[in-house]
Amino acid sequence: MRVTWDQVFAWRLRRQFIAEPVEDGSAAVAVADRLAGVQAQMASAAETAVAVRSATSVAGAVESALATGALVKTWAMRGTLHAMTPAVAAAVLPLIASARTWEKPSWQKAFGATPATVAALGEAVGQILADTALTRAELVDALLADSAFHELGTELRSGWGALLKPLAWQGVLCHGPADGNRVTFTSPHALIPGWSDPVDPESAAPVAIRGYLGAYGPAGPETFDAWLTRNSLRKTVVRSWFAALGDALTPVEVEGRAAYVLTEHADDLAATEPSSDVHLLGPFDQYVLGPGTADTELLPKAHRGKVSRTAGWIAPLVVDAGRITGTWELDGDHVVVSMFDDAPLPKGFDAALERLASATGRAELRAGAR
């Protein structure tokens, strides 16, 4: 089966609710489920990602879904915070945990904890958070009451959460209800009705791969692992997960690149016509994080640094006919646009601007070039 990149991008725009916004009243849940999680390092970015994909956007949709347990916020793909449905979390976390990154010498040297220490932390945190939610400071104080963890105080207090991420991947903790502007942690068992302990990777992999390809396909094992763990898993293991899906996957050639699509989506992809629409997507949007900023078909290599910036910042996107052609920033009621190669604003930009204004609850937005 052969398709073009124009077809692939148009198909992804539709599958990701960008070209066809979701009508569901529970848009945050529907979007997070379809995208296999919404990056939530910044709460506002997650809200924007859902809003631009909703036929009728609701302020605080992600926050509301987190409060009810319909979504869970935890460290997941690539060590970053995501808002996910419990089903997605149950599929991706065991795969991330199976990379055992905390057992690598470089990780132990950087963060001062051995695998045995991480295991002890997991046991202690599991007991502390069994039926409560604590702020980071409260959780750290409870841990440091045990002399075994005294030397870990600095790392445990770090906002990067390096010592807590392995515990999140193993299903020991997740983010709990906000305490004002302070983050809290709790046990998934306490927060999410029906939460079960993580399953083995071989059982989780088919669900995770299906979820990924359903939003970001066609793709291959390496691209999937780059999204999941920044290629921390053994290549032979990831390839075996794909192979185990058998006829559920259809090989696809996209202008010379070999990949896979879910067989149930193959006919739809083949019949997809290219899109000429323009879309404005917010920061840290899954449209680029799914395939990755290194995908030169989606984002020209010469302009990658304008999207993937210092300190891990992913800029808001101008998407024209499925390709990333610029970035933008909000300055009051003005959208300050930086088109690549000083190109003019694309035809259809005004409609995209109007859609962004509606999604963000603004009466009007005006565009201006940098």
Side-chain angles (χ1 to χ4, degrees), residues 116-194:
T117 302
V118 172
L121 274 174
E123 183 175 349
V125 169
Q127 293 175 357
I128 293 169
L129 298 179
D131 56 3
T132 189
L134 298 178
T135 65
R136 185 189 301 273
E138 291 168 340
L139 175 59
V140 172
D141 286 345
L143 286 168
L144 295 185
D146 185 337
S147 60
F149 303 130
H150 281 182
E151 295 182 357
L152 302 178
T154 299
E155 284 298 339
L156 286 170
R157 291 190 179 95
S158 169
W160 293 107
L163 295 184
L164 300 181
K165 289 178 183 180
L167 311 189
W169 299 331
Q170 295 174 78
V172 174
L173 63 72
C174 64
H175 277 51
D179 180 8
N181 61 355
R182 296 185 299 177
V183 169
T184 72
F185 298 100
T186 190
S187 164
H189 288 280
L191 183 69
I192 303 165

Side-chain angles (χ1 to χ4, degrees), residues 39-350:
Q39 186 155 317
Q41 292 285 118
M42 291 176 51
S44 59
E47 297 287 0
T48 299
V50 169
V52 298
R53 291 168 167 84
S54 307
T56 304
S57 58
V58 177
V62 175
E63 181 181 6
S64 296
L66 289 169
T68 65
L71 293 180
V72 58
K73 185 175 181 179
T74 192
W75 284 293
M77 283 71 77
R78 306 174 307 284
T80 59
L81 286 170
H82 279 69
M84 301 176 288
T85 63
V88 169
V92 300
L93 293 179
L95 305 189
I96 301 169
S98 72
R100 312 292 291 183
T101 54
W102 60 91
E103 295 181 356
K104 297 180 179 180
S106 58
W107 190 95
Q108 295 178 53
K109 181 179 180 181
F111 303 115
T114 66
T117 302
V118 172
L121 274 174
E123 183 175 349
V125 169
Q127 293 175 357
I128 293 169
L129 298 179
D131 56 3
T132 189
L134 298 178
T135 65
R136 185 189 301 273
E138 291 168 340
L139 175 59
V140 172
D141 286 345
L143 286 168
L144 295 185
D146 185 337
S147 60
F149 303 130
H150 281 182
E151 295 182 357
L152 302 178
T154 299
E155 284 298 339
L156 286 170
R157 291 190 179 95
S158 169
W160 293 107
L163 295 184
L164 300 181
K165 289 178 183 180
L167 311 189
W169 299 331
Q170 295 174 78
V172 174
L173 63 72
C174 64
H175 277 51
D179 180 8
N181 61 355
R182 296 185 299 177
V183 169
T184 72
F185 298 100
T186 190
S187 164
H189 288 280
L191 183 69
I192 303 165
W195 177 264
S196 59
D197 289 328
V199 299
D200 63 274
E202 285 68 30
S203 299
V207 180
I209 292 171
R210 283 178 176 274
Y212 179 78
L213 292 179
Y216 312 109
E222 290 77 13
T223 306
F224 169 75
D225 188 25
W227 165 79
L228 188 70
T229 72
R230 290 196 176 97
N231 295 118
S232 295
L233 291 161
R234 292 176 59 188
K235 290 181 171 58
T236 54
V237 170
V238 183
R239 289 169 184 164
S240 73
W241 291 342
F242 271 68
L245 281 162
D247 292 342
L249 302 185
T250 293
V252 180
E253 181 183 308
V254 190
E255 298 183 20
R257 184 187 298 182
Y260 296 95
V261 67
L262 292 177
T263 299
E264 64 195 82
H265 295 155
D267 289 345
D268 184 37
L269 173 60
T272 297
E273 295 292 332
S275 168
S276 60
D277 294 338
V278 176
H279 302 278
L280 296 177
L281 304 178
F284 298 98
D285 196 86
Q286 298 300 129
Y287 186 72
V288 67
L289 292 177
T293 59
D295 189 332
T296 56
E297 296 293 343
L298 176 65
L299 173 61
K301 182 178 180 180
H303 301 295
R304 183 183 182 188
K306 298 170 186 174
V307 171
S308 182
R309 301 179 182 176
T310 56
W313 175 261
I314 302 297
L317 310 173
V318 178
V319 177
D320 182 9
R323 287 174 166 80
I324 299 170
T325 58
T327 64
W328 60 271
E329 297 176 4
L330 201 57
D331 182 9
D333 288 334
H334 283 78
V335 173
V336 182
V337 184
S338 300
M339 297 297 295
F340 297 160
D341 300 319
D342 296 321
L345 295 181
K347 182 180 179 181
F349 186 88
D350 289 345

